[in-house]
Amino acid sequence: MAGKVKWVTDIEKSVLINNFEKRGWIQVSENEDWNFYWMSVQTIRNVFSVETGYRLSDDQIVNHFPNHYELTRKDLMVKNIKRYRKELEKEGSPLAEKDENGKYLYLDFVPVTFMLPADYNLFVEEFRKNPSSTWIMKPCGKAQGKGIFLINKLSQIKKWSRDSKTSTFVSQSSKEAYVISLYINNPLLIGGKKFDLRLYVLVSTYRPLRCYMYKLGFCRFCTVKYTPSTSELDNMFVHLTNVAIQKHGDDYNHIHGGKWTVSNLRLYLESTRGKEVTSKLFDEIHWIIVQSLKAVAPVMNNDKHCFECYGYDIIIDDKLKPWLIEVNASPSLTSSTANDRILKYNLINDTLNIAVPNGEIPDCKWNKSPPKEALGNYEVLYDEEMAQSEMPDRDLRSRSGQPMGFKGNRARDSGKSGALTWK
Amino acid sequence: MGSAPWWRKQRSAWTASPPLPSLCSFLSKLRGRWQRCRRQAKLSAQLCLHNPEIKLESLKEDIKEFLKTSGWEKKLQNAVYNELSVFPLPCHPSAPPEHIKESLAYMRKAQGNWEKRILKSLNSMCTELGIPLAQKRSINEQKELLSKWNEMGTDEPDLSLFRPVYAPKDFLEVLMNLRNPNYESSEQPSFRNHLGLIQVPLKVKDIPELKEYFGELDLSTGQMDIDDSANVPPELFENEHLRLGQKVLIKQDSAASQQYVRQGCPTSLRAELWALILNISSQPEDILYYEQLKSNVIQHDLLVDSLIYKDVKLTASNDDYYFVFEDYLYQVLLCFSRDTSVLDHFEYNSATPPKSYIRGKLGMEEYAVFYPPNGVIPFHGFSMYVAPLCFLYNEPSRLYQIFREIYVRYFFRLHSISSHPSGIVSLCLLFETLLQTHLPQLFYHLREIGAQPLRISFKWMVRAFSGYLATDQLLLLWDRILGYNSLEILAVLAAAVFAFRAVNLMEVTSLAAAEAVLADLSTLKVMPLLQIFLFATGT
């Protein structure tokens, strides 16, 4: 038996530390030799920055890819997806097929989005096409619902741009760039309440792409009744489902924390809408996650010392179409309820089992393909190597009648996962 | 109460003349209860009359044919079937009407005393808080309630002074004290005493009888959610079962649907299958009726509203599965409390709706009204009867109808004292007998350490396991309640849970420890537990 894994973290969360200790790993400081560093996104920036010139050795592993922001910054994600679609279109890929209105049939899964201030003119053009629409403004680099607001008049955005120009010079720097996205104003409501989905996705390598989906995602509910009326635009509790925001609402419940398991969602949808549309919805959710990862794979620095666990935020509209809202590089490890704590502890446990097999000293050259028994609550979502060796004609097949191409191989709730073949 | 409340004017309730249990009265009731059904049938018949091809000589055959092709034959069959499953079998023609409610005098008396206690507690809360039982809302209050009808959960009135009228454990105390006066009631334990908490002699099924009764649950019959049934691979069974279910729905046959759900419903068909069994069809009139109840809620404020509100806040609002549906629960339960058609079920319920008197007219029968208008006083946990149904029906008026029908068919029995085989007393006795007979060591051990099993399982049964099992499992359990038209499965499951945890329970030395072992039922799989208990243990 080789030595014990030496770990460091700059995130003092018990769900992490308990997991490290359970494995008998040894805590060291970041200046010592370490094998495993669970770090914040701020730290990863320094580790891989040109100035530090830090080189990771073969037995060192970190929990982020160096330029993860290609996926996790709202503006860059949209940019990469737009580019990916154009490339597929150029190649004449059937995936890039469009309908009569010029909308992608299979790749239209992010709400229409523009960068501000850069794309201001494009935005105005789009806004004028549909002046009654509501848009949501989000700062590119912030998480947990900070700095978000809604607008439905051009004058509001003009005022915002005036205010931010005149206030301080900092706000003009690129850090304060915003994205503005068409607001999904017909969300699926359950019990009259709006919700979004938080799903966890683990990427162990981008080239070839290999990613895993965590089965225990959850819905986050707004505590206040949803109303699309514009008078409530200022009441963020109606619109945002982030726990960080909802916790400040009066009705926040500390027993369930407004969280509902994905299996509840499936039971509800199958019971009220039928099995077929429900399965289609979940297939489409898997599809858009894989497509978003494929979109960033070419630009991602596929450092072999890295893995990453993303928090995907998805909104479902009342036609049961899923929309990708954003991807988080550091999904919150704070536990809001007892169940939440168990979930996050297990999430980290299962993540570590895949990223650091057997809890042994990592060797970044290992083939990163763990056996099925080691996956815990993860399921293989996509394995590029396997997909290429097994189904070279999948893309073509997916064109004919079964846009998502997943049919018949669905991973079922029961965990009888036959999910590998479609991918 | 001030002037006569609206529900009194609306209807003079069922007390007028309970029908004689004869075929004749049954048919007349059928006519009465299906006025709408009849009206519609008449209408389509009239339309048919204008058909020039109608000839007098073949009229009888034509009508038969018409009934068949128009679907009326099925509708009438379903209506009759519905009535048969709700009403008790006819008893002796000279038996007085209260015998339909409950044939044993001491049970009737106990139920009467229990009702007096509840009413007293309700009245004293009224007096203490200085709140009337009912009052008309001001126009402004009405407007406000209407505007937040869909988000009543966001309202936070101060309900700290309100307390549930009773909780399951209060009710258990009453059941424990039930005695049959014809029996020697020595408190000394003897071979004649039952070792459990329930001391009345009622006939309950033993395991061989249960095996026969729940025959479709045996190990060789395919079940939804069981994937190791002996004969067929699970995928094959599920696909076949799904196809069969779709056929049943196309046929629109209540009886077939009821037989079908004994093997469990595919999730996607459950809502429709249950509606078919319960003969709920959601016509425009039904929606209108629901709207009428809603406007009654808007106009009048009842004391029970606060009890309902408090109950939802204490139970469903904190539940991982059901918090999402909080607002639907208020809507359904508030409308339910105003629904005077619920009074009909007191014909066969051992309970009698409580009466209240218009202010200043206490005791004068002509000023008596039922309170609440539906005659049902909610207790702690009542809202959990509705909560699981929210997973199946997302349209409030339909949700409402389904709940009302399930309540007047089954759930009222879980809080009324009666000798009915599905009544809570029989369920308790069945549970204790099963445990005592088949796990005597466990039963004895728990009894010795002061952890009578019924003290733990009582609340599960009173709530029909709602809030204890995971929802998917709960719905599979309720499939069998509808399928067998009986609540006995609740007692069997309660015993099966004890059997499943027997090893751990043998090690505990206190009631608290036993409760801890059985605190979390959310990971249990209902069907395997039932099958093992009924069919796989050597008996």
Side-chain angles (χ1 to χ4, degrees):
Chain A
M1 162 102 196
K4 293 209 162 126
V5 173
K6 300 193 218 35
W7 62 272
V8 197
T9 184
D10 59 355
I11 303 173
E12 292 290 320
K13 289 285 181 239
S14 59
V15 291
L16 283 174
I17 294 165
N18 292 346
N19 259 302
F20 300 148
E21 287 175 347
K22 182 186 97 170
R23 287 169 170 72
W25 294 359
I26 300 157
Q27 183 171 16
V28 296
S29 81
E30 62 172 328
N31 301 319
E32 295 172 74
D33 272 347
W34 51 263
N35 306 110
F36 187 90
Y37 197 156
W38 190 289
M39 56 178 69
S40 63
V41 283
Q42 289 79 20
T43 310
I44 192 83
R45 202 181 312 147
N46 299 333
V47 169
F48 284 102
S49 78
V50 191
E51 298 95 77
T52 54
Y54 196 92
R55 274 184 60 92
L56 296 182
S57 55
D58 279 357
D59 62 356
Q60 288 188 306
I61 283 198
V62 294
N63 65 318
H64 291 290
F65 284 93
N67 56 341
H68 63 86
Y69 45 78
E70 294 286 347
L71 179 65
T72 59
R73 244 181 65 168
K74 299 165 185 79
D75 50 344
L76 295 177
M77 176 187 85
V78 171
K79 200 180 93 187
N80 282 313
I81 290 174
K82 284 181 181 171
R83 197 206 59 242
Y84 173 68
R85 294 195 292 215
K86 285 217 183 77
E87 281 169 8
L88 285 176
E89 209 174 337
K90 229 185 277 168
E91 291 168 18
S93 162
L95 297 182
E97 206 177 311
K98 289 181 173 177
D99 67 6
E100 64 273 20
N101 300 321
K103 277 207 163 143
Y104 290 101
L105 283 175
Y106 313 125
L107 297 172
D108 177 36
F109 56 81
V110 183
V112 177
T113 297
F114 299 98
M115 319 306 157
L116 287 184
D119 296 339
Y120 182 72
N121 291 334
L122 287 172
F123 162 70
V124 172
E125 199 182 311
E126 185 70 29
F127 186 91
R128 293 221 162 107
K129 278 190 215 159
N130 207 345
S132 60
S133 52
T134 300
W135 295 73
I136 185 162
M137 288 278 288
K138 298 178 184 176
C140 295
K142 287 185 180 150
Q144 297 193 323
K146 283 180 205 127
I148 293 182
F149 58 96
L150 299 178
I151 66 144
N152 60 349
K153 288 191 196 71
L154 268 185
S155 60
Q156 291 165 309
I157 198 135
K158 281 177 187 145
K159 181 173 181 298
W160 167 80
S161 117
R162 259 199 322 277
D163 290 354
S164 55
K165 263 178 200 142
T166 50
S167 59
T168 57
F169 62 95
V170 185
S171 60
Q172 281 183 335
S173 76
S174 62
K175 275 181 198 164
E176 277 296 315
Y178 269 69
V179 293
I180 187 159
S181 308
L182 188 61
Y183 186 63
I184 306 292
N185 64 354
N186 60 331
L188 174 67
L189 304 180
I190 297 181
K193 295 188 182 78
K194 188 188 161 178
F195 68 97
D196 76 355
L197 270 179
R198 162 52 65 92
L199 301 171
Y200 297 101
V201 174
L202 173 67
V203 176
S204 59
T205 143
Y206 271 100
R207 290 192 302 276
L209 179 60
R210 189 177 296 137
C211 52
Y212 307 85
M213 172 91 171
Y214 204 61
K215 279 182 268 181
L216 309 179
F218 49 83
C219 308
R220 296 179 295 188
F221 274 83
C222 286
T223 49
V224 178
K225 206 77 184 178
Y226 178 74
T227 154
S229 90
T230 46
S231 63
E232 289 270 6
L233 278 188
D234 288 338
N235 184 354
M236 276 296 149
F237 296 115
V238 177
H239 301 282
L240 300 184
T241 51
N242 307 63
V243 172
I245 293 265
Q246 289 292 338
K247 257 190 177 167
H248 299 108
D250 289 338
D251 292 328
Y252 186 80
N253 182 303
H254 289 272
I255 298 173
H256 49 71
K259 288 178 182 169
W260 215 41
T261 62
V262 166
S263 52
N264 276 335
L265 176 67
R266 198 186 263 273
L267 178 65
Y268 172 79
L269 289 177
E270 272 195 27
S271 303
T272 54
R273 306 263 190 146
K275 195 181 175 83
E276 212 166 302
V277 289
T278 306
S279 301
K280 179 166 170 281
L281 167 70
F282 281 92
D283 284 348
E284 284 181 14
I285 289 172
H286 293 172
W287 166 262
I288 67 180
I289 292 173
V290 171
Q291 293 306 311
S292 70
L293 291 171
K294 282 187 157 187
V296 298
V299 295
M300 199 59 85
N301 177 354
N302 188 39
D303 194 299
K304 57 188 190 298
H305 306 93
C306 307
F307 71 94
E308 203 154 30
C309 176
Y310 299 104
Y312 267 77
D313 290 346
I314 284 167
I315 286 187
I316 302 167
D317 71 20
D318 59 7
K319 304 203 169 53
L320 294 195
K321 177 179 165 65
W323 294 93
L324 174 57
I325 301 304
E326 63 180 72
V327 184
N328 293 279
S330 302
S332 162
L333 295 177
T334 311
S335 317
S336 51
T337 65
N339 281 341
D340 205 35
R341 199 185 145 68
I342 297 167
L343 177 128
K344 281 167 180 166
Y345 177 84
N346 289 330
L347 172 70
I348 298 296
N349 184 41
D350 294 348
T351 304
L352 292 180
N353 284 343
I354 293 175
V356 191
N358 306 319
E360 289 165 8
I361 304 248
D363 172 7
C364 67
K365 289 192 205 115
W366 75 286
N367 83 348
K368 293 199 173 188
S369 192
K372 221 169 146 188
E373 313 81 73
L375 296 183
N377 282 308
Y378 276 113
E379 290 174 312
V380 176
L381 180 59
Y382 186 77
D383 186 328
E384 197 170 9
E385 273 180 328
M386 203 179 288
Q388 278 165 357
S389 64
E390 279 184 7
M391 294 186 66
D393 58 342
R394 189 189 83 80
D395 281 353
L396 281 175
R397 254 196 237 176
S398 66
R399 192 183 173 192
S400 55
Q402 293 183 9
M404 296 316 157
F406 298 39
K407 237 183 153 171
N409 299 306
R410 239 165 264 130
R412 300 186 358 160
D413 256 1
S414 55
K416 282 180 256 167
S417 153
L420 296 188
T421 41
W422 65 266
K423 287 142 191 166
Chain B
M1 273 181 244
S3 60
W6 93 93
W7 67 93
R8 185 166 190 269
K9 294 171 206 151
Q10 206 176 49
R11 153 185 202 112
S12 60
W14 62 274
T15 41
S17 69
L20 285 172
S22 65
L23 183 64
C24 183
S25 73
F26 175 78
L27 287 176
S28 83
K29 192 157 54 197
L30 203 63
R31 275 205 299 277
R33 286 163 73 90
W34 278 286
Q35 267 181 9
R36 187 221 308 159
C37 183
R38 207 169 49 127
R39 213 166 42 235
Q40 287 175 352
K42 208 169 144 189
L43 201 68
S44 24
Q46 277 166 350
L47 283 173
C48 244
L49 273 181
H50 299 294
N51 190 336
E53 283 164 36
I54 292 212
K55 292 187 190 67
L56 201 58
E57 44 286 12
S58 62
L59 187 62
K60 194 173 168 190
E61 288 311 308
D62 285 347
I63 286 177
K64 274 189 193 163
E65 187 56 30
F66 169 75
L67 284 176
K68 210 171 250 148
T69 51
S70 63
W72 273 103
E73 191 183 56
K74 258 291 118 67
K75 279 187 199 172
L76 291 170
Q77 266 177 19
N78 287 345
V80 171
Y81 189 72
N82 184 49
E83 199 69 1
L84 285 174
S85 25
V86 173
F87 277 86
L89 292 171
C91 47
H92 194 273
S94 60
E98 68 256 33
H99 284 205
I100 300 175
K101 290 165 76 67
E102 168 55 51
S103 53
L104 295 174
Y106 74 92
M107 289 274 182
R108 286 202 299 273
K109 195 170 160 218
Q111 173 64 29
N113 288 337
W114 171 235
E115 282 163 15
K116 271 185 210 137
R117 242 181 86 183
I118 300 172
L119 199 58
K120 201 171 150 197
S121 148
L122 191 68
N123 280 330
S124 69
M125 185 161 28
C126 246
T127 322
E128 248 171 67
L129 302 176
I131 298 171
L133 284 173
Q135 59 187 330
K136 205 169 162 72
R137 290 182 216 275
S138 72
I139 297 295
N140 280 340
E141 284 169 340
Q142 293 189 22
K143 273 189 195 148
E144 203 198 322
L145 182 58
L146 194 59
S147 72
K148 59 170 197 210
W149 180 255
N150 287 315
E151 46 183 332
M152 284 185 267
T154 58
D155 208 20
E156 291 277 349
D158 179 20
L159 294 173
S160 50
L161 294 171
F162 287 90
R163 47 179 199 278
V165 178
Y166 67 96
K169 66 175 190 316
D170 308 316
F171 189 44
L172 176 59
E173 295 300 320
V174 175
L175 301 191
M176 282 163 51
N177 289 318
L178 275 180
R179 294 290 181 278
N180 183 343
N182 299 327
Y183 267 55
E184 180 203 12
S185 57
S186 140
E187 294 299 317
Q188 295 299 315
S190 75
F191 71 94
R192 253 184 293 228
N193 296 118
H194 180 63
L195 288 170
L197 297 176
I198 300 297
Q199 294 295 335
V200 287
L202 293 173
K203 169 81 184 93
V204 292
K205 294 188 177 72
D206 59 19
I207 287 260
E209 285 167 314
L210 288 168
K211 273 183 179 171
E212 198 188 328
Y213 191 74
F214 294 112
E216 291 87 347
L217 305 186
D218 82 353
L219 298 165
S220 58
T221 312
Q223 308 287 333
M224 289 307 287
D225 203 44
I226 293 252
D227 44 23
D228 61 350
S229 113
N231 296 337
V232 257
E235 301 275 321
L236 205 68
F237 167 72
E238 277 177 28
N239 291 337
E240 186 50 41
H241 198 54
L242 186 69
R243 256 197 302 280
L244 191 61
Q246 284 158 341
K247 242 187 222 167
V248 169
L249 285 176
I250 290 168
K251 289 273 180 219
Q252 280 296 300
D253 186 321
S254 295
S257 183
Q258 187 160 35
Q259 178 63 37
Y260 174 85
V261 303
R262 293 180 174 192
Q263 284 168 277
C265 289
T267 306
S268 55
L269 303 186
R270 181 173 285 118
E272 291 307 313
L273 287 165
W274 284 18
L276 184 52
I277 295 172
L278 300 167
N279 206 25
I280 298 293
S281 58
S282 292
Q283 302 291 322
E285 296 96 302
D286 299 312
I287 297 164
L288 217 63
Y289 186 74
Y290 178 76
E291 287 302 315
Q292 180 61 43
L293 293 173
K294 180 177 160 185
S295 76
N296 287 340
V297 176
I298 302 285
Q299 285 162 18
H300 292 86
D301 185 15
L302 301 187
L303 174 82
V304 288
D305 295 359
S306 299
L307 296 173
I308 289 167
Y309 204 93
K310 178 109 183 182
D311 186 49
V312 173
K313 285 280 176 212
L314 286 175
T315 57
S317 297
N318 292 325
D319 190 288
D320 285 344
Y321 296 93
Y322 305 125
F323 74 91
V324 172
F325 303 113
E326 184 182 355
D327 294 323
Y328 283 7
L329 297 180
Y330 297 127
Q331 294 172 22
V332 165
L333 289 165
L334 292 179
C335 287
F336 182 65
S337 70
R338 269 72 169 176
D339 191 346
T340 52
S341 78
V342 176
L343 292 170
D344 288 346
H345 92 285
F346 288 106
E347 280 176 44
Y348 50 84
N349 181 350
S350 65
T352 302
K355 274 184 198 164
S356 181
Y357 297 89
I358 288 162
R359 192 173 293 152
K361 312 281 183 187
L362 189 67
M364 297 165 75
E365 279 305 314
E366 61 270 37
Y367 293 99
V369 288
F370 293 118
Y371 186 89
N374 69 344
V376 181
I377 293 176
F379 59 92
H380 183 54
F382 193 84
S383 42
M384 297 308 275
Y385 291 146
V386 190
L389 301 174
C390 298
F391 270 83
L392 304 185
Y393 306 95
N394 55 6
E395 205 276 303
S397 80
R398 190 161 167 83
L399 171 65
Y400 178 75
Q401 289 183 71
I402 296 281
F403 162 68
R404 184 183 57 191
E405 190 61 25
I406 289 188
Y407 181 81
V408 301
R409 273 200 198 194
Y410 308 111
F411 292 156
F412 74 88
R413 297 199 189 278
L414 296 174
H415 44 266
S416 308
I417 302 171
S418 84
S419 60
H420 192 279
S422 279
I424 188 69
V425 185
S426 300
L427 297 188
C428 291
L429 195 59
L430 176 57
F431 164 77
E432 290 194 320
T433 313
L434 284 174
L435 219 52
Q436 202 177 330
T437 319
H438 298 282
L439 294 155
Q441 280 179 318
L442 176 65
F443 188 88
Y444 185 75
H445 170 70
L446 291 174
R447 188 178 181 272
E448 285 305 292
I449 61 166
Q452 274 280 4
L454 185 59
R455 288 209 182 273
I456 298 170
S457 66
F458 187 70
K459 54 187 183 297
W460 304 340
M461 294 192 286
V462 170
R463 286 193 189 175
F465 280 93
S466 174
Y468 297 102
L469 296 171
T471 309
D472 59 330
Q473 296 300 311
L474 183 84
L475 295 174
L476 289 165
L477 177 68
W478 287 15
D479 279 344
R480 274 72 187 191
I481 293 180
L482 271 70
Y484 289 98
N485 206 28
S486 156
L487 293 164
E488 285 154 292
I489 198 79
L490 298 176
V492 180
L493 180 63
V497 170
F498 272 76
F500 183 62
R501 294 266 188 253
V503 176
N504 305 71
L505 288 171
M506 283 305 286
E507 286 164 11
V508 301
T509 52
S510 70
L511 175 62
E515 273 173 340
V517 167
L518 296 166
D520 183 7
L521 308 187
S522 67
T523 54
L524 297 182
K525 295 272 182 207
V526 166
M527 288 320 295
L529 281 186
L530 286 172
Q531 285 193 322
I532 291 170
F533 188 79
L534 282 177
F535 297 100
T537 26
T539 44

